[in-house]
């Protein structure tokens, strides 16, 4: 076999494919980094805000104003993501997948620069604007990366390579937590470097993207450039003969030409799509309103309240658990089924949230409860990565065919970012108000989402889109027995049935 080729699952991975996937997921790494980076230096940045306020107004910052400014610094990231996630489809078709990722890096440069310069400029406004800009970058990256990776990957490797997006996100969170240590970049002098270091993967991605081919699927299906699509396929597969891959694209293009695009308004108006879109939205909400981002954004202060001596190291421990269970979920998702894993994750998180509440309440009287609360947080993170972390995106891809899928992905993405914003903005206030009982709110939400999944959400593993769609029409009232009505020996999922990627959004 020629040098630079490796075997994986019966399909060889060429150097070009490996380089292209690695380059693309640098965007996911930045997404994760910017979720986690704001956590560790919270107290130091709050002190800087106070110093800036005192310098301007000759009096300390009021406590309520400081909480508002900090919550805004955390949550404005999601507002940027919310706006830009709606533009993924338009920008990726206008510029192409590769060029869109390349130009998107300008937002990362601007955002990283604003955050890195905020201390020297004595401006918390720069910090907040930088968070908004980097959020806009991440909103685009969260759509462009899985789209590009899904389109360049061979069909039988699409699932495995697609999960690298989620793995890169959690790795980014972990890197941010490690660099946020006070002995590294989380100090009073170096925190601007911690915020600005996000430009390093930006530079690397900009340097490598010109060596990666444009998505052949995009070139053939959207731009009708068969010659360029063939050239890209040859580079990615390492084969001169690519007529089989091209035939698959021709079939996909034929299906797409037959199926008209569906607008966002039609998703809600049409009885055909209403139930699937409600399921897609509620599954996205189950991911964000589970409380996981509260753990990531505020984990250091949660561990402090739990009486942990070195809260930053405990936060890094949670990051390691996060990465480990992301890898575990890769192996489970095709074996256990999406619905089962989602319910397992929600149930486990619900139990952990209740245990966390009890442990935090008994902490003063029973000092060893700090270990129980720490284990509960680790369990919470582990169960999240088993179910609500990766699963909702599988459902969005598998509940909709090519026509309504881009609109469904936009609605799902916006729901996800909106819920992310609500948690980022509101958690600190609710935590101050409810104290250790705050996680009971998340436990109640998790129980609701668990019951909803049990009664309304179908199993999509091993089902074609036609089977799933037919069951929505036959059993509009109950979804829990849906998998009993379907044969299991038909083509696997909607993604494989279509021979298309699951992230065409």
């Amino acid at each position: 076999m020629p040098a630079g080729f490796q075997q994986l699952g019966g399909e060889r991975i060429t150097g070009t494919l490996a380089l292209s996937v690695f380059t693309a997921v640098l965007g996911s790494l930045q997404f994760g980094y910017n979720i986690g980076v704001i956590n560790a230096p919270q107290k130091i940045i709050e002190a800087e805000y106070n110093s800036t306020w005192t310098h301007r107004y000759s009096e300390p910052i009021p406590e309520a104003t400081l909480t508002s400014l900090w919550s805004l610094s955390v949550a404005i990231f999601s507002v940027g993501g919310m706006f830009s996630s709606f533009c993924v489809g338009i920008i990726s078709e206008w510029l192409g997948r590769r060029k869109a990722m390349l130009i998107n890096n300008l937002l990362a440069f601007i955002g990283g620069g604003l955050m890195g310069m905020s201390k020297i400029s004595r401006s918390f406004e720069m910090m907040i604007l930088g968070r908004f800009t980097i959020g806009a970058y991440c909103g685009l990256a969260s759509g462009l990366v899985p789209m590009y990776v899904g389109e360049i990957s061979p069909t039988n490797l699409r699932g495995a390579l697609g999960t690298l997006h989620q793995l890169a996100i959690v790795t980014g969170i972990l890197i941010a937590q490690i660099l946020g240590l006070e002995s590294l970049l989380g100090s009073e002098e170096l925190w601007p470097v911690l915020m600005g270091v996000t430009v390093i993967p930006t530079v690397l991605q900009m340097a490598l993207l010109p060596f990666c081919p444009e998505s052949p699927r995009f070139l053939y299906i959207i731009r009708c450039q068969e010659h360029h699509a063939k050239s890209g396929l040859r580079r990615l597969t390492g084969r001169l003969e690519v007529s089989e891959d091209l035939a698959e694209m021709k079939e996909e293009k034929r299906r797409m030409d037959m199926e008209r695009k569906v607008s966002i308004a039609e998703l809600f108006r049409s009885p055909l799509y209403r139930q699937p879109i409600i399921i897609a939205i509620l599954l996205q909400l189950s991911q964000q309103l589970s409380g996981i981002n509260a753990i990531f954004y505020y984990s250091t202060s949660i561990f402090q309240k739990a009486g942990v001596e070195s809260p930053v190291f405990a936060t890094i421990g949670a990051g390691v658990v996060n990465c480990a269970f992301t890898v575990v979920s890769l192996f489970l998702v095709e074996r256990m089924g999406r619905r089962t894993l989602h319910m397992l994750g929600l149930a486990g998180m619900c139990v952990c949230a209740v245990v966390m509440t009890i442990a935090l309440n008994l902490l003063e009287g029973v000092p060893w409860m700090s270990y129980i609360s720490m284990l509960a947080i680790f369990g919470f993170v582990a169960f999240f990565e088993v179910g609500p972390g990766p699963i909702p995106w599988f459902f969005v891809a598998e509940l909709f065919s090519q026509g309504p899928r881009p609109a469904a992905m936009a609605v799902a993405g916006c729901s996800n970012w909106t819920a992310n914003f609500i948690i980022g903005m509101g958690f600190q206030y609710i935590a101050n108000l409810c104290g250790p009982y705050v996680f009971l709110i998340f436990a109640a939400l998790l129980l609701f989402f668990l019951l909803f999944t049990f009664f309304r959400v179908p199993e999509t593993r091993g089902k074609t889109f036609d089977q799933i769609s037919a069951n929505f029409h036959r059993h509009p009232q109950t979804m829990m027995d849906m998998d009993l009505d379907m044969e299991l020996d038909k083509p696997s999922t909607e993604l494989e049935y279509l021979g298309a990627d699951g992230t065409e959004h």
Side-chain angles (χ1 to χ4, degrees), residues 183-252:
S183 55
L184 294 174
L185 297 178
S187 64
E188 204 174 322
E189 294 78 30
L190 291 175
W191 72 261
V193 179
L194 179 70
M195 305 307 293
V197 84
T198 187
V199 300
I200 294 174
T202 302
V203 172
L204 185 57
Q205 191 182 53
M206 288 182 87
L208 293 176
L209 270 173
F211 299 100
C212 305
E214 177 55 279
S215 157
R217 235 178 191 80
F218 164 77
L219 290 171
Y220 184 78
I221 295 170
I222 310 296
R223 290 280 166 88
C224 303
Q225 297 176 352
E226 186 172 335
H227 175 70
H228 289 112
K230 267 185 184 172
S231 170
L233 277 170
R234 285 179 182 136
R235 285 182 65 194
L236 288 164
T237 61
R239 299 192 310 264
L240 282 173
E241 182 50 57
V242 289
S243 52
E244 198 180 312
D245 304 81
L246 213 60
E248 183 200 315
M249 287 183 204
K250 280 179 182 168
E251 177 59 20
E252 185 182 345

Side-chain angles (χ1 to χ4, degrees), residues 345-395:
L346 290 169
M349 289 176 83
C350 186
V351 170
C352 289
V354 173
V355 171
M356 212 183 303
T357 306
I358 295 166
L360 289 170
N361 267 302
L362 298 176
L363 195 59
E364 284 184 26
V366 190
W368 56 266
M369 276 291 168
S370 66
Y371 297 108
I372 301 294
S373 62
M374 221 166 114
L375 282 174
I377 287 177
F378 287 169
F380 194 85
V381 169
F383 278 113
F384 173 79
E385 285 304 344
V386 164
I391 299 301
W393 292 110
F394 277 97
F395 274 110

Side-chain angles (χ1 to χ4, degrees), residues 257-292:
D257 290 341
M258 285 168 60
E259 192 173 3
R260 70 181 184 84
K261 286 274 192 286
V262 175
S263 71
I264 288 170
E266 281 177 277
L267 284 177
F268 293 95
R269 281 204 303 262
S270 167
L272 193 66
Y273 305 123
R274 195 178 299 132
Q275 196 167 351
I277 196 64
I278 288 168
I279 288 173
I281 289 169
L282 277 163
L283 287 173
Q284 293 297 331
L285 295 183
S286 77
Q287 184 189 79
Q288 292 298 331
L289 300 182
S290 64
I292 191 67

Side-chain angles (χ1 to χ4, degrees), residues 49-51 53-55 57-63 65:
Y49 284 6
N50 184 37
S51 163
W53 190 276
T54 307
H55 177 74
Y57 307 110
S58 305
E59 62 177 27
I61 191 168
E63 193 63 36
T65 309

